[in-house]
Amino acid sequence: MKKQAINPQPPTDFTGITITEPAKVAAGVRAVTNSFKHVFGAMNVFRGMTALLSLNQKGGVDCPSCAWPDPDGERSSIAEYCENGAKSIAEEATALRLGPVFFQRYSVSELSQKSDYWLGQQGRLTHPMVIKEGKTHYEKISWEDAITLIADELNALPSPNDGIFYTSGRASNEAAFLYQLFVRQFGTNNLPDCSNMCHESSGSALGKTLGLGKGSVTLDDFNKAEVIMILGQNPGTNHPRMLTALEEAKKAGAKIISVNPLIETGLLAFQHPQHLSDMISGGTSLTDIYLQIKINSDLALLKAMAILMYEAEQIHPNSVFDHQFIQENTADFDLFINDLKNYQLDDLVAECGIPLAQIKEAANLLIQYNRIIICWAMGLTQHKNSVITIQEVVNILLLKGSIGKEGAGTCPVRGHSNVQGDRTMGIYERPSSAFLDKLDQNFDFKSPREHGFDVVKAIKAMHKEAGKVFIALGGNFLSATPDTEFTAKALQNSQLTVHVSTKLNRSHLIHGKMALILPCLGRTDEDIQSSGKQFVSTENSMGVVQQSKGTLTPPADTVWSESAIVAKVAKATLKNRSKVDWEKLISNYDLIRDLIEKTIDGFNNYNARVRQAGGFYLPNAPRERKFTTQNLKANFTVCPFEPLKMADDEYLMMTIRTHDQFNTTIYGLDDRYRGIFNERRVILMNEKDIESAGFKTYQVVDLHNSFGGVNRKAEQFIIVPYNIPSRNVATYFPEANVLVPIDSVADVSNTPTSKSVMIKILPVLSEGDKQPTYAKVG
């Protein structure tokens, strides 16, 4: 039996890659043509237009990709979506179908040799499929038998804590609430989710300092901000509709500071496809000051800026800091200032790798203005020091009183469309006692109080064979997680792996002794239950809960909604141990929302308010200058900075996404904005570093990491010279995830450090004459 391929296969001939100059402006006509190419290449015009015209409209379909909010007021009737959203719709609403015959044709081993892109292009799953121990192919299984298999395996576990229940950020509020209720009635808090790998650091930092692990701004605040600072984020690719907000802010007079090791097109300029003036003029310039710092030197930068702000305050007392706000609303200001005095500005500047003059220019904007928004994404959240870096962000805002007023505040930009909503619904391995008390009260059971596994702990448990049943409500767990070889072994150690999915992915192919694939409805699919058509709800990055109603005919009658799958599994597993009428709940999702209203604060009158155009805002105490920390204050934090140490032959690698992907979903093989086409196995490297290391442009190399004494290897990457700081390199996710150590995590949040990976680079030599190998670049 041929062994399954854990990683996407590297190229064999290294031909086909094309390199051009990076783009200077984001969006424009090219974004429109690419959107239509993807959508109408996947379905007919009628189906495509039906999906697009309802996308992000009030009462329509909430985009399945990123969590950027929709405008509260009028929305574009032409297109309230971006290129990435259109690609997501093309991926989900495709006319292609993947049924039992496909799985008869291909063994699991054969499928595992295919690329992630190829797997995703095969169409929507139509039937439940099972692979039993010792078999080579998935086979069709009835829903009844699949549900029974899951229930039997769960009930056979020695302990409920031997079950692991993962959630992707795509799951709706309704499905997530039912899922966590089922899991806790089963007897465990093992509810890892994708937040553990992205914005867990944000929640950890913000909860401690401000009392709420969410951002404090609204979309309207961008129009009123004086300064917008963007750290570790590439909105042009990962949150393209944010560019509209930045353009409007810029036209309203805001100054924009961008902080990133790469010069990203979407931070330079934006050409709005629906604005004739933009199309004629070439677009709107966005960034005023671009700080191209070294990877993970954000904390050094923020400290340097705080020092410059403090020095200005000393020269001009009461002109820089908001002392009234500090005195009335904060704690530990003196501790923060005293610690700041321990740092030398020159040392911090050297760590950043940019001139002091640039840092002073940016700091002067923070000194001069008071309405400041600071945005960040995974460029801040996936380092060992991520939590204290984000706490330093909060320190800057507290100095200026830029929390709880118009045009100011924190803005962690979430990735997946309902990742924030899932956490609100209780998808969390460390729930509060107050939340569990409400569950006990409303559902007449005693919920487990022991903390469960997050993603990293879940992987380690499965690796030790302590996690015996793994169920994933959406997502591509293997490709999303760190240390791919380690995670693969963990999944293979499981007795049963279950994936609730819309399309085929690599996690279906690296499975437990038994495995199930359960096909589910997507956002665009019409959801009809016994009481009629249903809708679901989601929560965006700024705490707005809105409905999402699919309009397209589902791929097959044998495809169930996520809520129905969860309820059926819960009923079969729990039997008379649960007093919940699971069948009744899925007959009408209003009944699920009634239970959410009874259990979670902020959802009063849920069913009425979610039907209002645009939905409703959840309570956000920091937005009102109320801080629900232990001391009821916004807390300054002492954030110790430690310089990075690397050996002479080491490089600091960060994983990034291309413009043709969303999370683990690969839409194509191009990274248009960065000028890299038809290839994903590349390593972006400083041109002087290439020369000093004795490499050549487009040479093929292997990448190595030995953290913790474990040798990890990512094979056959093509060196591409790029504008990136010296000794820093960048590779695409998930191809380079194999190098991210399972034990290298952020302090406090336990998030894998996918943006801070120490690697060594070694040449690939030809088999015969042992000469360096090169790609043929067009």
Side-chain angles (χ1 to χ4, degrees), residues 125 143 150 166 168 170 179 470-476 497-503 505 508 516-521 560-563 565-566 569:
L125 295 160
W143 273 107
I150 297 170
Y166 175 76
S168 160
R170 187 202 64 209
Y179 194 46
F470 173 83
I471 300 177
L473 185 62
N476 180 358
T497 51
V498 181
H499 292 275
V500 179
S501 305
T502 56
K503 302 188 80 175
N505 66 54
H508 304 149
L516 286 166
I517 304 172
L518 305 181
C520 69
L521 297 177
W560 288 7
S561 75
E562 290 177 316
S563 295
I565 294 170
V566 171
V569 171

Side-chain angles (χ1 to χ4, degrees), residues 448-467:
R449 300 292 162 140
E450 180 185 358
H451 287 172
F453 296 141
D454 60 19
V455 164
V456 169
K457 291 178 180 177
I459 294 170
K460 289 182 177 181
M462 289 188 287
H463 200 270
K464 295 178 181 177
E465 301 188 22

Side-chain angles (χ1 to χ4, degrees), residues 499-563:
H499 292 275
V500 179
S501 305
T502 56
K503 302 188 80 175
L504 185 64
N505 66 54
R506 191 160 299 276
S507 295
H508 304 149
L509 311 177
I510 309 298
H511 53 73
K513 296 177 179 65
M514 296 182 290
L516 286 166
I517 304 172
L518 305 181
C520 69
L521 297 177
R523 293 269 178 85
T524 55
D525 297 322
E526 194 172 51
D527 185 351
I528 301 177
Q529 302 297 334
S530 60
S531 69
K533 293 181 181 179
Q534 306 297 314
F535 68 85
V536 295
S537 56
T538 59
E539 178 187 343
N540 66 33
S541 226
M542 294 179 185
V544 177
V545 177
Q546 68 271 305
Q547 65 171 283
S548 180
K549 185 186 298 182
T551 58
L552 301 180
T553 302
D557 293 338
T558 46
V559 176
W560 288 7
S561 75
E562 290 177 316
S563 295

Side-chain angles (χ1 to χ4, degrees), residues 3-24:
K3 186 180 178 182
Q4 288 116 297
I6 292 171
N7 294 302
Q9 292 302 286
T12 55
D13 57 0
F14 306 109
T15 61
I17 181 174
T18 300
I19 305 293
T20 66
E21 286 293 316
K24 301 299 184 186

